[in-house]
Coordinates of all heavy atoms in Angstrom, one line a residue:
N26 N -4.8 19.7 0.7 CA -4.5 21.0 1.2 C -4.9 22.2 0.2 O -4.4 23.2 0.4 CB -2.9 21.1 1.4 CG -2.2 20.6 0.2 OD1 -2.6 20.8 -0.9 ND2 -0.9 20.1 0.4
G27 N -5.9 21.9 -0.5 CA -6.3 22.9 -1.5 C -5.6 23.0 -2.8 O -6.2 23.4 -3.8
Y28 N -4.3 22.7 -2.8 CA -3.5 22.6 -3.9 C -3.7 21.3 -4.6 O -3.8 21.2 -5.8 CB -2.0 22.8 -3.6 CG -1.0 22.6 -4.7 CD1 -0.8 23.7 -5.6 CD2 -0.4 21.4 -5.0 CE1 0.1 23.6 -6.7 CE2 0.5 21.3 -6.1 CZ 0.8 22.4 -6.9 OH 1.6 22.3 -8.0
M29 N -3.8 20.2 -3.8 CA -3.9 18.9 -4.3 C -4.7 18.0 -3.4 O -4.8 18.3 -2.2 CB -2.6 18.3 -4.7 CG -1.7 18.1 -3.5 SD -0.1 17.4 -4.1 CE 0.9 17.8 -2.5
G30 N -5.3 17.0 -4.0 CA -5.9 15.9 -3.1 C -5.5 14.7 -3.6 O -5.3 14.3 -4.8
I31 N -5.3 13.7 -2.6 CA -4.9 12.3 -2.8 C -5.9 11.4 -2.2 O -6.2 11.5 -1.0 CB -3.4 12.1 -2.3 CG1 -3.1 10.6 -2.6 CG2 -3.4 12.4 -0.8 CD1 -2.5 10.4 -4.0
R32 N -6.6 10.6 -3.0 CA -7.7 9.7 -2.5 C -7.0 8.7 -1.5 O -5.9 8.3 -1.6 CB -8.3 9.0 -3.7 CG -9.4 9.8 -4.4 CD -9.8 9.1 -5.7 NE -10.4 7.8 -5.4 CZ -11.7 7.8 -5.1 NH1 -12.5 8.8 -5.0 NH2 -12.3 6.6 -5.0
G33 N -7.9 8.3 -0.6 CA -7.4 7.4 0.4 C -7.5 5.9 0.0 O -8.0 5.1 0.7
A34 N -7.0 5.7 -1.2 CA -6.9 4.3 -1.7 C -5.8 3.6 -0.9 O -4.9 4.2 -0.4 CB -6.5 4.3 -3.2
H35 N -5.9 2.3 -0.8 CA -4.9 1.4 -0.1 C -3.6 1.5 -0.8 O -3.6 1.7 -2.1 CB -5.4 0.1 0.0 CG -6.6 -0.1 0.9 ND1 -6.4 -0.4 2.2 CD2 -7.9 0.0 0.6 CE1 -7.7 -0.5 2.8 NE2 -8.6 -0.3 1.8
E36 N -2.5 1.3 -0.1 CA -1.2 1.2 -0.8 C -1.1 0.0 -1.7 O -0.7 0.2 -2.9 CB 0.0 1.1 0.2 CG 0.2 2.4 1.0 CD -0.9 2.7 2.1 OE1 -1.8 1.9 2.3 OE2 -0.7 3.9 2.6
E37 N -1.6 -1.1 -1.4 CA -1.7 -2.3 -2.2 C -2.8 -2.2 -3.2 O -3.9 -1.5 -2.9 CB -1.8 -3.6 -1.3 CG -3.0 -3.8 -0.5 CD -3.1 -3.1 0.8 OE1 -2.3 -2.2 1.1 OE2 -4.0 -3.4 1.6
D38 N -2.6 -3.0 -4.3 CA -3.7 -2.8 -5.4 C -4.8 -3.8 -5.1 O -4.6 -4.9 -4.6 CB -3.1 -3.1 -6.8 CG -2.4 -1.9 -7.3 OD1 -2.9 -0.8 -7.1 OD2 -1.4 -2.1 -8.0
Y39 N -6.0 -3.4 -5.5 CA -7.2 -4.2 -5.6 C -7.9 -4.0 -6.9 O -7.9 -2.8 -7.5 CB -8.1 -4.0 -4.4 CG -7.4 -4.4 -3.1 CD1 -6.9 -3.3 -2.4 CD2 -7.3 -5.7 -2.6 CE1 -6.2 -3.6 -1.1 CE2 -6.7 -5.9 -1.4 CZ -6.1 -5.0 -0.7 OH -5.5 -5.3 0.5
P40 N -8.6 -5.0 -7.5 CA -9.0 -5.0 -8.9 C -10.1 -3.7 -9.1 O -9.9 -3.1 -10.2 CB -9.8 -6.3 -9.0 CG -9.2 -7.2 -8.1 CD -8.8 -6.4 -6.9
I41 N -10.9 -3.4 -8.2 CA -11.9 -2.3 -8.5 C -11.5 -1.0 -7.8 O -12.2 0.0 -7.9 CB -13.3 -2.7 -8.0 CG1 -13.3 -2.9 -6.4 CG2 -13.8 -4.0 -8.7 CD1 -14.7 -3.1 -5.9
Q42 N -10.4 -0.9 -7.2 CA -10.0 0.3 -6.5 C -9.6 1.3 -7.4 O -8.9 1.1 -8.4 CB -8.7 -0.1 -5.6 CG -8.2 1.1 -4.8 CD -7.2 0.7 -3.7 OE1 -7.4 0.7 -2.6 NE2 -6.0 0.3 -4.3
K43 N -10.1 2.6 -7.1 CA -9.8 3.8 -8.0 C -8.9 4.7 -7.2 O -9.2 5.3 -6.2 CB -11.1 4.4 -8.2 CG -10.9 5.7 -9.2 CD -10.4 5.2 -10.6 CE -10.3 6.4 -11.5 NZ -9.8 6.0 -12.9
R44 N -7.7 4.8 -7.7 CA -6.7 5.8 -7.1 C -6.9 7.1 -7.7 O -7.6 7.3 -8.8 CB -5.2 5.3 -7.5 CG -4.9 4.0 -6.9 CD -3.4 3.7 -7.1 NE -3.1 2.4 -6.6 CZ -2.8 2.2 -5.3 NH1 -2.8 3.2 -4.4 NH2 -2.5 1.0 -4.8
G45 N -6.4 8.1 -7.1 CA -6.5 9.5 -7.6 C -5.6 10.5 -7.0 O -5.5 10.6 -5.8
L46 N -4.9 11.2 -7.7 CA -4.1 12.3 -7.4 C -4.5 13.5 -8.3 O -4.4 13.5 -9.5 CB -2.6 12.1 -7.5 CG -1.7 13.3 -7.3 CD1 -1.9 14.0 -5.9 CD2 -0.2 13.1 -7.5
F47 N -5.1 14.6 -7.7 CA -5.6 15.7 -8.4 C -5.0 17.0 -8.0 O -4.9 17.3 -6.7 CB -7.2 15.8 -8.3 CG -7.8 14.4 -8.7 CD1 -8.3 13.6 -7.6 CD2 -8.1 14.1 -9.8 CE1 -8.9 12.4 -7.9 CE2 -8.8 12.8 -10.1 CZ -9.1 12.0 -9.1
V48 N -4.6 17.8 -8.9 CA -4.1 19.2 -8.6 C -5.1 20.1 -9.1 O -5.5 20.1 -10.2 CB -2.7 19.4 -9.2 CG1 -2.3 20.8 -9.0 CG2 -1.7 18.5 -8.5
A49 N -5.5 21.1 -8.3 CA -6.5 22.1 -8.7 C -6.0 22.9 -9.9 O -4.9 23.3 -10.0 CB -6.7 23.1 -7.5
G50 N -6.8 22.9 -10.9 CA -6.6 23.7 -12.1 C -6.0 22.8 -13.2 O -5.8 23.4 -14.4
I51 N -5.7 21.6 -13.0 CA -5.0 20.7 -14.1 C -6.2 20.0 -14.8 O -6.8 19.1 -14.3 CB -4.0 19.7 -13.5 CG1 -2.9 20.5 -12.9 CG2 -3.5 18.9 -14.7 CD1 -2.0 21.4 -13.9

């Protein structure tokens, strides 16, 4: 929403999966 972005990673874990929660300016 411009303030933050949440990558579309699966809820369950996988070995090579890269999660990401980013807030603009941090």
Side-chain angles (χ1 to χ4, degrees):
N26 51 29
Y28 178 84
M29 60 183 163
I31 181 82
R32 281 172 63 83
H35 294 266
E36 286 75 8
E37 66 274 17
D38 276 330
Y39 296 98
I41 63 172
Q42 178 172 252
K43 184 64 176 176
R44 299 188 180 277
L46 170 60
F47 307 98
V48 171
I51 299 296

